[in-house]
């Protein structure tokens, strides 16, 4: 779409503050989107890569996300160079001239010779209307190769004042091709949504960055990094790549069948609620525990678990479920929690605010099973995990 046809909308959007985080946006009314009068400043036909682009994604019955990009172009003796690519992501409500702006974000991508591109995609949708928007900005030239930046935003649901608000989750920049010559790098980004094991009706987004880096034709190395955007029960967040090791006080013996289930502690971290850890001690399981250790000191906002063997409703009823548990940290006070007798995921807000490297979940009491006394847990997950800042020792 050529810029003259976008002047009313462009003028409206550019009048908004550049940084959406400065304050909550007022409800602005859009101007009439009619063609500009002849007196409007014309855009030269030979302005090179001066086209603004407009892309939209539907967010609901009356809402849409609009991505407006406008490159700033300079001409140097007939060679057009884009100094930068400005982009505005705006959430609109309503229809026609009466539409209002609910929220907006400002993005800027470095310029250079060659062409620019931009796209918008709704990657995830939650059962209550939560959405994740993926915005891609890129630049391509024969000599410099191709560079792209992908930013993921959450859009809050609801028809009230809180609905339609944008918040950034994750930003990644990668190089699909670094151009000709060596050293050379080639990266690809793939996004894949998978059902959340803990939150029915929601999905998690797995973003895989695969890279191949070559010094020569023969001297190449390949890497792969996976980042996860997960639903925590209240919002989407980036899952940091933290290795979590799990151990247990005891485990129920494996099934005698080669194809039968196992009940090891690792089952609570396999993202499959049809598997479970079941303690193997005599009695009701009181005093048995699961221990989780991180690869570095972290703070954690929430622990989510499915307290039972959730393979099926019948299996869940037949086995004992956790009722009261105690969270032990490396030092400091413990935290006692009473759980509901439900197969639904249950969320525990971690009271401890200081960093720790490990936490032990001890069983205090259980809801008895109809057939078996063994207490089981299907899944345990942590959200809001953040590495503790490194303190520099005074010299």
């Amino acid at each position: 779409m050529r810029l003259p046809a976008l002047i009313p909308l462009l003028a409206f959007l550019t009048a908004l503050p550049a940084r959406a985080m400065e304050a909550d946006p007022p409800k602005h009314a859009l101007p009439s989107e009619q063609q500009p009068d002849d007196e409007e400043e014309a855009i030269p036909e030979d302005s090179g890569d001066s086209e603004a682009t407009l892309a939209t994604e539907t967010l609901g019955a009356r809402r849409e996300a609009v991505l407006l990009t406008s490159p700033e172009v300079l001409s140097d003796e007939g060679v057009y160079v884009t100094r930068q690519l400005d982009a505005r992501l705006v959430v609109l409500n309503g229809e026609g001239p009466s539409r209002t702006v609910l929220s907006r974000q400002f993005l800027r991508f470095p310029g250079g010779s060659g062409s620019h591109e931009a796209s918008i995609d709704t990657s995830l949708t939650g059962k209550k209307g939560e959405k994740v928007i993926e915005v891609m900005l890129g630049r391509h030239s024969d000599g410099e190769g191709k560079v792209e930046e992908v930013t993921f935003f959450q859009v809050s649901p609801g028809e009230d004042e809180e609905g339609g608000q944008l918040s950034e989750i994750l930003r990644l920049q990668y190089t699909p091709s670094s151009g000709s010559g060596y050293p050379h790098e080639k990266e690809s980004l793939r996004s894949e949504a998978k059902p959340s094991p803990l939150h029915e009706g929601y999905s998690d987004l797995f973003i895989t960055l695969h890279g191949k880096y070559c010094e020569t034709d023969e001297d190449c190395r390949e890497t792969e990094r996976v980042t996860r955007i997960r639903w925590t029960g209240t919002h989407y967040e980036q899952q940091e790549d933290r290795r979590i090791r799990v151990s247990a006080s005891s485990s129920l013996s494996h099934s005698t069948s080669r194809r039968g289930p196992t009940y090891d502690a690792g089952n609570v971290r396999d993202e499959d609620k049809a598997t479970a850890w079941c303690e193997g001690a005599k009695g009701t399981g009181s005093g048995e525990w699961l221990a989780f250790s991180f690869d570095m000191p972290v703070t954690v906002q929430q622990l989510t678990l499915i307290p039972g063997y959730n393979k099926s409703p019948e299996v869940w009823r037949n086995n004992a479920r956790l009722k009261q548990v105690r969270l032990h940290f490396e030092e400091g006070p413990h935290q006692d929690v009473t759980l509901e007798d439900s197969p639904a995921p249950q969320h525990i807000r971690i009271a401890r605010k200081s960093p720790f490297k490990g936490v032990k979940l001890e069983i205090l009491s259980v809801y008895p099973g109809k057939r078996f006394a063994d207490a089981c847990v299907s899944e345990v997950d942590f959200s809001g995990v953040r590495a503790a800042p490194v303190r520099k020792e005074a010299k």
Side-chain angles (χ1 to χ4, degrees):
M1 185 180 295
R2 295 292 296 176
L3 189 56
L6 293 177
I7 285 179
L9 182 57
L10 179 62
F12 169 72
L13 294 176
T14 54
L16 298 176
R19 300 293 178 184
M21 299 300 291
E22 292 177 358
D24 292 334
K27 305 303 181 186
H28 297 279
L30 283 173
S32 176
E33 293 185 22
Q34 59 187 355
Q35 290 295 328
D37 297 331
D38 295 337
E39 289 78 15
E40 293 280 3
E41 181 179 354
I43 304 299
E45 291 298 325
D46 60 349
S47 55
D49 188 14
S50 62
E51 289 187 349
T53 60
L54 186 67
T56 64
E57 276 284 333
T58 300
L59 301 179
R62 291 173 52 82
R63 289 186 180 172
E64 63 180 341
V66 178
L67 179 66
L68 180 66
T69 57
S70 53
E72 182 177 338
V73 180
L74 300 178
S75 177
D76 184 10
E77 297 181 356
V79 178
Y80 291 97
V81 178
T82 306
R83 236 168 51 175
Q84 64 195 26
L85 182 67
D86 290 340
R88 286 169 175 80
L89 176 63
V90 182
V91 177
L92 300 177
N93 185 62
E95 299 177 355
S98 62
R99 285 182 294 180
T100 57
V101 172
L102 299 179
S103 61
R104 70 273 185 183
Q105 288 280 350
F106 181 81
L107 299 169
R108 176 166 289 168
F109 189 72
S113 60
S115 60
H116 281 70
E117 57 182 330
S119 64
I120 179 174
D121 176 63
T122 303
S123 304
L124 291 178
T125 300
K127 66 178 181 181
K128 294 183 180 179
E130 300 89 351
K131 287 183 180 290
V132 171
I133 295 177
E134 178 180 343
V135 174
M136 189 282 293
L137 303 177
R139 182 184 75 246
H140 177 265
S141 67
D142 294 335
E144 299 177 5
K146 190 173 185 178
V147 180
E148 292 183 354
E149 183 176 82
V150 177
T151 308
F152 296 88
F153 296 93
Q154 177 176 345
V155 186
S156 59
E159 298 297 326
D160 55 13
E161 293 291 323
E162 298 299 323
Q165 299 303 303
L166 286 164
S167 56
E168 183 175 324
I169 305 172
L170 172 66
R171 185 176 299 195
L172 293 171
Q173 188 173 109
Y174 64 104
T175 308
S177 175
S178 60
S180 57
Y182 290 98
H184 181 80
E185 60 183 89
K186 186 176 183 179
E187 297 173 324
S188 60
L189 195 72
R190 183 180 74 253
S191 300
E192 181 182 10
K194 298 180 181 179
S196 169
L198 299 176
H199 304 282
E200 186 177 355
Y202 289 88
S203 293
D204 295 340
L205 185 65
F206 293 81
I207 304 154
T208 303
L209 179 63
H210 182 270
K212 184 175 182 180
Y213 310 95
C214 298
E215 298 293 333
T216 65
D217 282 339
E218 293 77 22
D219 183 13
C220 293
R221 61 183 177 89
E222 295 191 37
T223 63
E224 189 167 275
R225 178 165 60 105
V226 179
T227 303
R228 177 182 175 189
I229 295 178
R230 58 193 299 279
W231 177 253
T232 67
T234 58
H235 62 280
Y236 286 103
E237 73 170 15
Q238 175 187 354
Q239 176 71 59
E240 293 193 20
D241 185 16
R242 302 286 174 214
R243 289 183 298 173
I244 302 176
R245 295 180 293 275
V246 57
S247 59
S249 55
S250 66
S251 296
L252 187 65
S253 298
H254 294 180
S255 170
T256 55
S257 170
R258 289 186 177 182
R259 296 184 179 181
T262 63
Y263 307 101
D264 297 331
N267 287 347
V268 302
R269 297 288 300 163
D270 65 357
E271 299 188 353
D272 184 357
K273 64 182 181 181
T275 65
W277 166 72
C278 297
E279 49 81 21
K282 293 183 179 180
T284 63
S286 178
E288 297 303 294
W289 49 262
L290 285 167
F292 304 89
S293 59
F294 297 84
D295 59 354
M296 62 179 62
V298 298
T299 57
V300 177
Q301 292 182 353
Q302 182 173 272
L303 182 153
T304 300
L305 75 160
I306 298 178
Y309 191 175
N310 210 17
K311 185 177 183 179
S312 69
E314 181 181 7
V315 171
W316 183 82
R317 288 190 295 268
N318 284 340
N319 291 272
R321 289 86 58 193
L322 277 58
K323 180 178 181 180
Q324 292 177 312
V325 298
R326 175 169 293 169
L327 301 180
H328 298 271
F329 303 96
E330 298 159 331
E331 57 184 23
H334 57 256
Q335 180 179 350
D336 289 349
V337 180
T338 299
L339 302 170
E340 297 178 2
D341 192 19
S342 168
Q346 302 193 38
H347 312 293
I348 301 173
R349 297 293 294 182
I350 301 299
R352 181 185 173 113
K353 302 305 179 184
S354 56
F356 57 88
K357 286 192 68 176
V359 58
K360 182 169 71 174
L361 188 152
E362 179 190 2
I363 302 173
L364 300 181
S365 64
V366 301
Y367 297 102
K370 285 189 173 182
R371 292 185 58 188
F372 307 110
D374 308 296
C376 301
V377 180
S378 287
E379 286 293 310
V380 176
D381 198 16
F382 299 88
S383 58
V385 180
R386 298 290 182 267
V390 179
R391 293 184 178 180
K392 295 183 179 180
E393 296 183 1
K395 295 183 179 179

